[in-house]
Amino acid sequence: MENNMNITTAQYNAGIDGKNSSVQATIDGQEVSVPLDPANRHYAEILRQVEAGTLTIADAD
Amino acid sequence: MTRARQNANISPAVGRNMIINGAMNVAQRSSSVAGIGAAAGYFTLDRWLIDTANSAGRLTMSQTADGPNGISANCIKLDCTTADTSIAASEYFLLAQNIEGQNLQRIGKGVAGAKQVTISFYVKASAAFDFVVEFFDSDNSRHCCKLFSTTTDWTRVEFVVPADEDDGSSPFDDDNATSGRLFFWLHAGTTFTGGTLATAWANNTNANRAAGIDSFFSSTDNNFFITGVQMEVGPVATDFEQEEISTTLSKCQRYFQQLGGSYGAFDGMFSGNATGTDLLFVTTNSKITMRAAPTFTLGGGVSNHRYAQGGSDVQPTSIVADQVKLNSFTLKVAHNGQVTSGNAARLFNNGTDGFYNFDAEL
């Protein structure tokens, strides 16, 4: 069994230094900020969907 | 040999339970959520995952003040609110807990000298059902299952899982990722029920995972209750290990922390400073080192939060994570043109509808 997450939006947040610090995403209808940590299950799923070509992370504003 | 003495030779007296929140006493997210079933997730009681796919069945999950006397005053209650009697092959619905590999090293699984494990729990239901409990080794994709029956009274189920040396070179990974999964199969299609239940350790075969179970979603009359869940090394189900609430809460906070919300207004309090006319960066320390960098969710929208810098309390336009780490959480608070660079600042929830969730669950 694996968690199946419905990720509908994804955009990088820029940190105080202007570098990407997290991903602002809508997962299963909820807006969340996801850290760039592969051990985080949401970020792992974002990476998986990006790798599969089903999700694109937009650049930070 | 007395049971107490026998047990003393098998499991430590304290800390033997590898399941967290088995007494169902901690529910930081919510005590009750309705309409569950469309997606997997953590909804109510800490550490307890609803894993589901493809079913039209829906339920309410609650922390309920009911339990076998002397074991726990609380349980998980699952209440079917939408039935699903047309079960497609790929459907499933499970209650689960994922366990870090570094918390399972005591089993010595997958190598010579591997130990038995005993899983026990108290369960009842609105009627007689057969369901399956499964211990799943996700590092090596192996599993072992037991069919159990419910009655309308609390019954303790005991499942002695055989030692599994496997090929002698397949231990659980010693890290912070999921290695073991405890599954309660409550509904499944033929993809998972079409074979013969794997009652001994075997390489995973989906058809052998839930063979023989009934469906929790067969009727909206159905309720399922569970508490006192324990997993320990050895061939004996010892008495359920009682634990102080502070200990259980701390264990749960490795995976999930909430500031504000039901803890009260002004419970979530961050401090920092303005870095320009548009932005504040504010930080608070984690209550306990988290398993991984957590996902941040702002609860209640910005209308339930205020920042202060050099004057009155003001509602920001957005609050997102900046650097959320294992030991500290820094948020980025925006209010275009409204802040003064260099001012000290704080952020807080101004009511119980406002909260800050940090989720590092498996």
Side-chain angles (χ1 to χ4, degrees), chain B residues 196-352:
Chain B
T196 301
L197 194 67
T199 56
W201 279 108
N203 291 332
N204 178 50
T205 300
N206 275 338
N208 298 344
R209 301 183 70 177
I213 67 166
D214 296 316
S215 171
F216 170 74
F217 289 132
S218 64
S219 166
T220 54
D221 293 335
N222 296 345
N223 294 317
F224 176 82
F225 305 81
I226 188 168
T227 192
V229 184
Q230 182 156 283
M231 185 166 75
E232 59 194 309
V233 168
V236 176
T238 66
D239 289 347
F240 179 70
E241 182 179 358
Q242 300 295 325
E243 192 170 74
E244 289 190 359
I245 187 68
S246 58
T247 300
T248 306
L249 180 58
S250 291
K251 289 180 179 178
C252 292
Q253 287 175 334
R254 175 172 170 77
Y255 304 89
F256 181 84
Q257 295 181 26
Q258 182 175 88
L259 309 178
S262 61
Y263 292 116
F266 310 107
D267 178 78
M269 191 67 74
F270 301 74
S271 59
N273 67 293
T275 59
T277 58
D278 301 333
L279 293 174
L280 310 162
F281 287 85
V282 293
T283 301
T284 195
N285 287 330
S286 172
K287 300 176 186 196
I288 189 170
T289 301
M290 300 202 78
R291 182 194 66 82
T295 296
F296 166 66
T297 305
L298 182 73
V302 292
S303 64
N304 288 286
H305 303 267
R306 296 289 185 272
Y307 73 86
Q309 55 93 42
S312 59
D313 299 341
V314 182
Q315 177 181 315
T317 51
S318 73
I319 303 171
V320 301
D322 176 44
Q323 300 290 341
V324 281
K325 302 296 186 180
L326 278 65
N327 288 305
S328 67
F329 314 136
T330 299
L331 305 181
K332 183 169 74 172
V333 182
H335 198 176
N336 292 348
Q338 301 299 309
V339 298
T340 302
S341 181
N343 269 2
R346 60 191 171 94
L347 172 74
F348 54 92
N349 63 308
N350 65 335
T352 54

Side-chain angles (χ1 to χ4, degrees), chain A residues 1-4 13-17 20-22 24 28 30-35 37 39-43, chain B residues 42 49 51 92 94 181 185 192 209 275 281 291-297 320-324 332 359 361-362:
Chain A
M1 302 293 105
E2 298 293 339
N3 295 342
N4 300 312
N13 289 317
I16 193 169
D17 56 0
N20 294 333
S21 59
S22 62
Q24 199 69 15
D28 294 331
Q30 189 166 44
E31 185 174 351
V32 296
S33 297
V34 181
D37 179 357
N40 177 292
R41 74 184 196 284
H42 297 118
Y43 189 59
Chain B
Y42 293 87
L49 168 70
D51 197 356
Y92 62 85
L94 311 95
R181 292 178 163 184
W185 285 86
F192 306 100
R209 301 183 70 177
T275 59
F281 287 85
R291 182 194 66 82
T295 296
F296 166 66
T297 305
V320 301
D322 176 44
Q323 300 290 341
V324 281
K332 183 169 74 172
D359 182 339
E361 264 295 354
L362 290 163

Side-chain angles (χ1 to χ4, degrees), chain B residues 96-250:
Chain B
Q97 185 163 132
N98 294 330
I99 308 169
E100 291 180 59
Q102 57 195 354
N103 287 340
L104 294 171
Q105 296 301 310
R106 69 187 78 173
I107 300 172
K109 189 182 177 300
V111 297
K115 299 171 184 173
Q116 294 167 291
V117 171
T118 297
I119 297 164
S120 56
F121 51 94
Y122 293 82
V123 66
K124 68 177 182 178
S126 50
F129 295 103
D130 290 331
F131 296 125
V132 158
V133 53
E134 177 187 43
F135 187 27
F136 194 92
D137 170 355
S138 55
D139 287 334
N140 304 291
S141 194
R142 288 171 64 77
H143 63 153
C144 187
C145 307
K146 177 186 174 74
L147 193 72
F148 66 92
S149 300
T150 64
T151 71
T152 54
D153 295 318
W154 287 111
T155 301
R156 193 181 200 196
V157 175
E158 300 179 357
F159 174 25
V160 179
V161 183
D164 184 27
E165 296 188 358
D166 195 5
D167 60 2
S169 59
S170 303
F172 283 133
D173 296 338
D174 184 20
D175 60 20
N176 65 346
T178 299
S179 286
R181 292 178 163 184
L182 179 64
F183 287 126
F184 296 95
W185 285 86
L186 304 180
H187 170 92
T190 55
T191 298
F192 306 100
T193 63
T196 301
L197 194 67
T199 56
W201 279 108
N203 291 332
N204 178 50
T205 300
N206 275 338
N208 298 344
R209 301 183 70 177
I213 67 166
D214 296 316
S215 171
F216 170 74
F217 289 132
S218 64
S219 166
T220 54
D221 293 335
N222 296 345
N223 294 317
F224 176 82
F225 305 81
I226 188 168
T227 192
V229 184
Q230 182 156 283
M231 185 166 75
E232 59 194 309
V233 168
V236 176
T238 66
D239 289 347
F240 179 70
E241 182 179 358
Q242 300 295 325
E243 192 170 74
E244 289 190 359
I245 187 68
S246 58
T247 300
T248 306
L249 180 58
S250 291

